[in-house]
Structure formats: C-alpha cells, structure tokens
Amino acid sequence: MLLQFTNKGIYCPQADLYIDPWRPVDKAIITHAHSDHARSGSKHYLAHKDSEFILRYRLGTISLETLSYYESVTINGVNISLFPAGHIIGSAQVRLEYKGEIWVVSGDYKVKQDGYTIPFEPVKCQHFITESTFGLPIYNFPEAEIVNAQMNTWVAENTAQGLNSIIIGYALGKAQRILNGLITDRPILLHSTVYNTNEALGFDNSRYQKFTQDFQKEDLNPGVIVATASAMGSPWLRRFEPYKLAMCSGWMQLRGARRRRNADMGFVMSDHCDWQGLNEAVLATGAENIYVTHGYRSIYAKWLREQYKLNAVELETQFEGESIENSSIESIKEESEDAA
Ligand SMILES: [Zn+2]
Ligand SMILES: [Zn+2]
C-alpha cells in the first residue's frame, strides 16, 4: 500500500512523507492552511503556492516549498501533484502515484462553487480519502448566489432600521466569501483577525476599516461588521449596539442551531461538501477504495458500501472538519490564538 495510517498521520513510506500530519515530522505535505491540517513543528513543508503567505503567517518561520496545481514532483519514484479542492484559497487534493497505484488525499473540499475559490476538480484514482463533515442526507446547501442575496437583503433591512449588521464567520475562507458576496454602500468594519488574515492572503482590504481601540460608533452609522466567532457573547459586541447578528455556517441548516447560539439570522454557507456533493465527488474519482474521515464517518462509509458497493472504511484522524465549523460557533480557543 502506497499510503499507511499511523499515529502521526497519513504516511507514504516510499517517499517518506506525511500528509497533514498532526505531529511534527520531517516532510509534510499540507492540503490547506486550516489549523487542524497545517500544524507547526515539521522540518519541511510542501503546499500549494496560494497557501504560502497564510502558512507563514500561521506557522511562523518554516521551510516551505510550493507547487502550482497540476505541477508535480517525484520523490523516490513517487509522483506527487496537487489539484484544486474548492475548500478555501490554496486548498489542494494531493495525488500520489507509484508503479500504477494512485491515491488522492482530498483534505477538506467542496464541490459547490462559491464564486471565489478555484473550483474542486475530480481526480481519477483507486484510493480516495474523503472527509464527511456533512455526510448525512439532511445536508443540502443552497447555491452561493442565493445565500449572498439573502445576506444582502438582510443587511439592507437592518440598515433601513438604523441597525448595524454583524456577520460571524471563520477568519480563513468564510470571511473572504462573506466580503466577496457583500454588496452595500455602508462602511464595513473588520475584526482584526479577519483583517490580518485578509492581509496574509493578499485579499484586498482597501475597502474596509480595521477595528482598533479608537473606533467610534459614529463611523458606521449604521454599517457592517465582519467578525470571527471569538466575538460571540463577548463584551466587544456591545459597542455596536443596536445591531442584528448573523452566523455563516453549514450548521445553520439545522433547526435550532441559530437559536441556540443567540443569533438573529443564520446563513447556510459552508466550505465543505453537502450530501450530494460528497456522493458526486466520491463517484467521480472512480475509486473503489474509499477512506472516510472527519465527520459522520461510520454512517457515510456504510452508505458507500451499501449504496455503491464500494470498499469503504472509516479512517480515524485528528482532523476536525466538524468541530472547526463548530468552534467558529462554540469555542473561541482556536480563533483567539489567531487574534493574538
Ligand atoms: Zn479546512
Ligand atoms: Zn478539516
């Protein structure tokens, strides 16, 4: 087997490298810059070129080599190349080929286009490692244009009532999609984590104000604030009163998810596949061997076995597709580290 599953992560013995390892290793290929996939401490990193600045921003001084999509390197006979995963900027599926055996490690991905990220591309292989964050039939996400229209209508309604609109989303990926979809003539203020993440990504901040301690409420009068979940329930929000607050997450499709988090509005915006997207993606690879990781892995692996007669197994990893999304709602740990 070209890839093995070890306690440090997904390992390729022939090339002596790991993909998204959760412990420090010599050589790590990184699918994307979210913190559960890109961890610090490894000696050498390989990633997509669009991840370079955000990886350096998050991991500090690292030895990093980058590739474009479709470009390949060969390490001890193993041909390695990256393909678009459609998850966030710079996100890549890793394709490994050795003596006719082909594996694809998809990291996190989504099939639905968001109008911003380079779209996911299916890659033919025999072994496919997939996430299953939203691997239940109840998850069917609306198109990005529909969600953007909902968001813009909501902002316009708040503005007409003299209310600020606070939109909460994960700093890397979600925040850029929100800003990309937002159409308003009102001032837009960014939480510093969002502003700094944009800067690291090369995302144009010229239209936005960065929150600082000398912020005056009159600067908005009213306006839009884009913040991370670390702001939820914190006194920081009080300075924007009166306001309405919306959350952007795939979990917003669940009845009660918004209410439980004291949000006025929830937009179903996810950087992961919905149910249909997962099935489409898995079948498009033509792979007979599917390894299902973070999310509803036992349910989804069973579905693939029974419905499509695939050789699908659960794969235990330390990726947190589900709780990354959750943590952007419930826990401020990861985000507050970034804010430092
Ligand atoms: Zn991710
Ligand atoms: Zn993940």
Side-chain angles (χ1 to χ4, degrees), residues 35 47 57 78 124 142 150 177 195 293 300 306 313 322:
S35 59
Y57 167 67
V78 182
K124 292 284 175 203
Q150 289 169 344
R177 281 181 62 185
Y195 192 95
T293 174
Y300 192 57
E306 290 176 357
V313 294
E322 192 177 351

Side-chain angles (χ1 to χ4, degrees), residues 164-186:
N164 286 318
S165 304
I166 301 177
I167 307 178
I168 301 285
Y170 191 60
L172 176 55
K174 211 66 71 69
Q176 293 76 38
R177 281 181 62 185
I178 293 166
L179 292 169
N180 199 51
L182 192 59
I183 301 172
T184 177
D185 56 5
R186 303 309 308 158

